[in-house]
Amino acid sequence: MKFVPEGDLLNTAENIRACSSETTLRLARDEGRILESRALLCDNAHNLHVSFEGLRGVIPRHEGAVGIDSGTTRDVALLARVNKPVQFMVEKFCGDTVYLSRRAAQLACCKEYLSTLEAGDIIPATVTHLEPFGAFCDVGAGISALLPVSCLCVSRIDHPAARLSVPQRIKAVVKGIDGCGRITLSMKELLGTWEENAAMFSPGDTVPGIVRTVESYGIFVELTPNLSGLAEYVEGVKVGMQASVYVKSILQDKMKIKLVLVDAFCGDNIPLPPRYFTDCAKLWHWRYSPEGCEKIVESFF
């Protein structure tokens, strides 16, 4: 069985067919398949409701998520699913009501997929929530993993909204798994080394960027998520401004790009889709720094 973030099954032909009648729902129950539908209501008892052709689907509160009964998952997590896709397994039929379990789908995902993951595995994820400290991502059946803001990119950003949006689909690498099975993700290792990013620019180019840091000695301008350059200080320039910069020089041995700020202005900082520089399924070691560079930036998995 393939386990995917919630939302990925909803419009597939197999899911639409399985949710089309009582007969196909019963078959899905017998086969132990995970299905998906949109939550239309969370009632005052915190039961989630979905709709099928001629049937009413109910996910009882205690079946709404792993950890609801123990209190490790709060009821607000159920409220937040309204008008969003939810995955579930079919439990039983009672008249025109079919009882479903999202918890069972999550337990299956944990046992058969997430428990097999190791540090360095590259997996798909869907961004579900942004906080200043990082992005929460669905890594399968609504199970959350944390992508810390420091692991989003090499460039320094204050909030993950500078890089991601909800419900963006991304690729991430498993950074670690703690004793409770909680997964921490990273993304910067997939966005290219210094050399790979610097190869996109040449001295004499004038290119777009985003002001990320303003210091008395200069202004750091992000050219790509994993590459920034330094321009001389200009009064009035603020963090978050759009910029056009002239590439003065590229110093590979020092891992530095010298820029000249041509213009800085306020504009929409809509995150661009990430460009991935690897299509492998697993990483063991990633080195950002060029060979021969005194400063070494690398990751081990």
Side-chain angles (χ1 to χ4, degrees):
M1 186 185 300
K2 184 178 180 181
F3 298 94
V4 295
E6 287 183 315
D8 284 13
L9 294 179
L10 188 63
N11 295 317
T12 63
E14 294 82 0
N15 184 70
I16 293 172
R17 183 166 54 251
C19 294
S20 64
S21 69
E22 181 176 339
T23 299
T24 53
L25 285 168
R26 287 184 180 274
L27 180 61
R29 178 197 60 183
D30 296 341
E31 294 177 346
R33 290 176 56 193
I34 293 177
L35 304 179
E36 187 168 275
S37 187
R38 193 173 297 277
L40 303 177
L41 167 71
C42 184
D43 62 29
N44 58 9
H46 292 168
N47 305 309
L48 290 170
H49 295 248
V50 303
S51 179
F52 303 112
E53 186 67 33
L55 291 171
R56 184 170 64 101
V58 177
I59 304 175
R61 174 187 174 276
H62 64 277
E63 296 294 340
V66 169
I68 284 290
D69 276 350
S70 65
T72 56
T73 299
R74 297 182 299 167
D75 283 346
V76 68
L78 304 179
L79 303 177
R81 296 315 303 169
V82 173
N83 204 27
K84 297 175 184 175
V86 288
Q87 292 180 12
F88 50 79
M89 299 179 79
V90 179
E91 294 284 286
K92 63 180 181 180
F93 293 80
C94 185
D96 64 352
T97 301
V98 53
Y99 289 94
L100 315 166
S101 175
R102 184 168 177 252
R103 184 178 70 92
Q106 292 183 341
L107 288 173
C109 181
C110 290
K111 179 180 178 181
E112 300 176 36
Y113 171 50
L114 299 182
S115 67
T116 69
L117 294 178
E118 299 176 338
D121 287 340
I122 297 172
I123 62 172
T126 297
V127 180
T128 57
H129 185 62
L130 301 177
E131 293 286 351
F133 55 83
F136 288 97
C137 302
D138 180 349
V139 291
I143 302 293
S144 286
L146 177 63
L147 174 52
V149 66
S150 61
C151 296
L152 272 169
C153 54
V154 173
S155 296
R156 188 167 63 184
I157 57 176
D158 294 329
H159 196 285
R163 188 70 61 230
L164 302 174
S165 60
V166 178
Q168 185 176 352
R169 286 170 170 77
I170 62 170
K171 289 199 300 183
V173 59
V174 176
K175 183 180 180 183
I177 305 173
D178 70 11
C180 296
R182 291 174 296 201
I183 297 172
T184 302
L185 302 174
S186 185
M187 192 173 172
K188 62 185 179 183
E189 292 84 0
L190 308 182
L191 303 181
T193 65
W194 190 92
E195 287 178 288
E196 288 171 329
N197 282 273
M200 300 165 60
F201 306 94
S202 299
D205 290 346
T206 299
V207 298
I210 302 174
V211 176
R212 290 301 185 202
T213 308
V214 177
E215 304 287 354
S216 59
Y217 57 83
I219 297 170
F220 287 94
V221 179
E222 176 189 303
L223 304 180
T224 73
N226 269 10
L227 186 70
S228 293
L230 181 63
E232 292 185 1
Y233 177 79
V234 176
E235 190 173 352
V237 175
K238 297 180 180 180
V239 172
M241 281 185 165
Q242 298 287 322
S244 54
V245 291
Y246 174 82
V247 181
K248 187 176 180 180
S249 62
I250 299 176
L251 308 174
Q252 179 172 314
D253 59 329
K254 296 182 178 179
M255 206 163 52
K256 291 182 178 180
I257 296 184
K258 293 185 177 181
L259 306 172
V260 176
L261 187 66
V262 176
D263 193 15
F265 53 94
C266 295
D268 293 332
N269 285 318
I270 300 174
L272 296 175
R275 176 183 176 183
Y276 300 109
F277 284 79
T278 179
D279 57 2
C280 63
K282 188 177 181 68
L283 291 177
W284 285 268
H285 172 239
W286 176 77
R287 178 169 170 144
Y288 176 72
S289 313
E291 289 296 330
C293 183
E294 183 176 335
K295 182 179 179 181
I296 298 177
V297 179
E298 59 188 345
S299 301
F300 292 93
F301 299 96

